[in-house]
């Protein structure tokens, strides 16, 4: 089972060691690369992905900043795209989502890679469904050039920070939550743009602009909208992917079945999501917490919230993006 390998491993390592560093989680911190802060641990994989991934026109990519609803969107997109193969309507005990974590089914392309190795994707049949956290402008050229489709999910950054903080506390627990003095310090770095794949405003804007310029290529979703009308947005996702629900499917309740199967309550209770680890090495249960809109009110002082809201207003509202 040999992976294709390339002779650029040393060059990648030298490049990374020459780049600016910042504090992150995973102990290893962040590296500033192509104007975004990348978890240093994952950067070799990001560069290999950029250099060696070849998109196909039939590919679908789930893109997000971490903690924006990636796991949820992956499970929804998987259920929709492969519903002819895996029937989500019967109490189908064989549905892959009941026995595999969504990240195992929809692989994040830059994770689990080492420098000098291209992702081994030989086991994936068309249409392929993948994930990525890489900013739009840093995606492999073949993704931007081909007709493959990208579905982006974003979330109110206030809730993203809260979600991230809990995630960091869990996955970096052995390292006193990555060496952070507390949530205030973590929040401060986030507001300065220093967090994984951030600044968050650049990440959002890259995909937002692409969705405005190329609406058939990039679908831009918000976690909050998906919560408010999951079924309606699921139909948008299906249409966008080129596999709309038929009238008969709608009459038979397929949309509702998928919504139910992919709900936080259902996924969280599955044995597979209570145990084991993802390809990135994180515990599967760390991807499922509260899933609420506005949880930030329980964590931020008014002045903290005001600070982040002002940044969002300043960076995003000019482009018609609000939360
Ligand atoms: P909270 O920490 O606010 O609960 P990601 O998948 O991008 O890592 O994002 C994780 C966030 O999405 C967590 O938010 C998690 O609880 C929430 N989430 C995971 N699965 C979900 C689902 N099926 N429906 C709604 N939210 C979900």
């Amino acid at each position: 089972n040999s992976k294709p390998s390339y002779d650029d491993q040393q060059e990648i390592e030298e490049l990374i060691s020459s780049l600016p560093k910042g504090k992150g989680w995973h102990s290893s911190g962040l590296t500033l690369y192509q104007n975004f802060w990348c978890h240093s641990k994952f950067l070799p994989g990001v560069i290999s992905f950029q250099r060696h991934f070849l998109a196909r026109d039939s590919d679908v990519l789930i893109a997000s900043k971490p903690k924006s609803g990636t796991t949820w969107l992956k499970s929804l997109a998987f259920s929709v795209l492969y519903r002819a193969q895996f029937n989500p309507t019967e109490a189908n005990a064989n549905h892959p989502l009941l026995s595999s974590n969504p990240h195992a089914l929809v692989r994040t392309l830059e994770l689990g890679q080492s420098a000098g190795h291209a992702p081994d994707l030989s086991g994936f049949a068309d249409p392929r469904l993948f994930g990525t956290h890489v900013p739009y402008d840093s995606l492999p050229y073949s993704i931007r050039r081909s007709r493959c489709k990208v579905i982006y999910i974003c979330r109110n950054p206030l809730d993203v920070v809260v979600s991230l903080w809990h995630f960091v506390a869990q996955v970096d627990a052995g390292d006193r939550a990555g060496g952070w003095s507390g949530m205030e310090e973590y929040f401060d770095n986030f507001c300065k743009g220093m967090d994984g794949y951030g600044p968050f405003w650049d990440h959002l804007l890259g995909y937002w602009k692409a969705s405005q310029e190329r609406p058939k290529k990039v679908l831009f979703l918000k976690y909050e909208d998906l919560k408010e009308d999951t079924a309606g947005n699921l139909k948008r996702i299906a249409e966008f992917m080129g596999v709309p629900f038929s009238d008969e499917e709608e009459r038979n309740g397929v949309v509702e079945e998928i919504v139910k199967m992919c709900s936080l309550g259902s996924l969280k209770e599955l044995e597979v999501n209570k145990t084991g680890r993802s390809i990135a090495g994180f515990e599967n249960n760390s991807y499922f917490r509260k899933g609420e809109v506005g949880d930030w009110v329980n964590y931020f002082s008014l002045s903290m919230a005001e600070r982040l809201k002002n940044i969002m207003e300043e960076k995003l509202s000019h482009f018609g993006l609000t939360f």
Side-chain angles (χ1 to χ4, degrees):
N1 190 23
S2 67
K3 293 183 197 163
S5 66
Y6 297 85
D7 56 9
D8 54 3
Q9 181 164 0
Q10 195 182 348
E11 180 220 321
I12 291 178
E13 281 164 8
E14 281 167 14
L15 167 70
I16 293 173
S17 67
S18 71
L19 295 171
K21 299 287 182 289
K23 187 170 176 176
W25 39 281
H26 290 324
S27 326
S28 66
L30 301 172
T31 298
L32 186 62
Y33 171 71
Q34 295 186 344
N35 295 323
F36 73 95
W37 287 101
C38 189
H39 298 289
S40 306
K41 180 176 163 182
F42 297 143
L43 188 47
V46 167
I47 297 174
S48 290
F49 166 51
Q50 287 182 318
R51 292 187 180 180
H52 306 301
F53 177 73
L54 280 180
R56 298 180 186 159
D57 288 339
S58 57
D59 287 347
V60 179
L61 205 65
I62 303 299
S64 63
K65 236 180 136 295
K67 304 303 129 201
S68 302
T70 324
T71 316
W72 188 18
L73 182 57
K74 280 184 174 182
S75 65
L76 291 169
F78 182 93
S79 311
V80 170
L81 191 61
Y82 301 121
R83 68 188 186 275
Q85 205 176 335
F86 306 116
N87 186 350
T89 53
E90 305 157 357
N92 183 358
N94 294 325
H95 197 285
L97 272 170
L98 302 181
S99 53
S100 300
N101 178 268
H103 296 284
L105 298 171
V106 185
R107 174 163 169 182
T108 301
L109 286 164
E110 66 274 14
L111 297 184
Q113 298 304 312
S114 52
H117 288 284
D120 178 10
L121 305 174
S122 52
F124 292 85
D126 292 344
R128 306 181 303 177
L129 179 64
F130 298 123
T132 187
H133 294 308
V134 171
Y136 189 79
D137 290 338
S138 290
L139 287 177
Y141 180 60
S142 72
I143 291 181
R144 287 172 290 151
R145 187 204 51 203
S146 75
R147 282 205 288 273
C148 80
K149 292 179 185 274
V150 179
I151 309 178
Y152 183 73
I153 186 158
C154 71
R155 185 181 189 186
N156 185 332
L158 287 155
D159 282 337
V160 170
V161 188
V162 171
S163 186
L164 268 171
W165 176 249
H166 284 91
F167 186 76
V168 170
Q170 178 169 350
V171 301
D172 266 358
D175 189 34
R176 277 201 71 241
W180 298 92
S181 60
M183 194 182 193
E184 284 73 15
E185 187 194 1
Y186 190 77
F187 175 83
D188 184 53
N189 268 30
F190 187 90
C191 289
K192 289 175 181 156
M194 282 184 65
D195 87 302
Y197 309 95
F200 75 85
W201 53 85
D202 284 344
H203 204 280
L204 267 63
L205 280 176
Y207 283 94
W208 173 251
K209 287 179 187 165
S211 74
Q212 303 287 296
E213 285 159 17
R214 303 175 70 188
K216 288 195 176 131
K217 181 169 184 73
V218 182
L219 177 66
F220 192 95
L221 300 173
K222 287 182 181 172
Y223 182 89
E224 293 75 16
D225 295 341
L226 201 53
K227 284 282 285 190
E228 194 175 303
D229 180 11
T230 313
N233 279 291
L234 193 68
K235 290 187 218 169
R236 277 181 77 197
I237 291 169
E239 266 168 44
F240 178 76
M241 291 199 289
V243 286
F245 291 102
S246 66
D247 292 344
E248 191 189 349
E249 282 183 306
E250 292 209 24
R251 270 196 309 278
N252 290 342
V254 178
V255 174
E256 287 72 21
E257 289 285 345
I258 292 177
V259 170
K260 199 164 74 186
M261 183 172 65
C262 299
S263 70
L264 181 61
S266 303
L267 293 180
K268 199 175 178 172
E269 290 311 312
L270 294 171
E271 201 52 37
V272 63
N273 292 326
K274 290 182 180 172
T275 53
R277 287 177 185 271
S278 69
I279 190 172
F282 305 131
E283 291 160 21
N284 284 339
N285 69 12
S286 64
Y287 294 100
F288 307 95
R289 199 180 62 95
K290 274 183 168 178
E292 284 175 5
V293 171
D295 192 30
W296 62 265
V297 294
N298 299 312
Y299 298 90
F300 292 147
S301 65
L302 279 180
S303 65
M304 286 166 85
E306 201 62 26
R307 177 177 173 199
L308 194 45
K309 282 180 177 172
N310 287 340
I311 295 173
M312 289 193 270
E313 172 81 18
E314 182 199 324
K315 304 280 186 189
L316 304 176
S317 64
H318 178 64
F319 297 93
L321 198 50
T322 52
F323 288 92

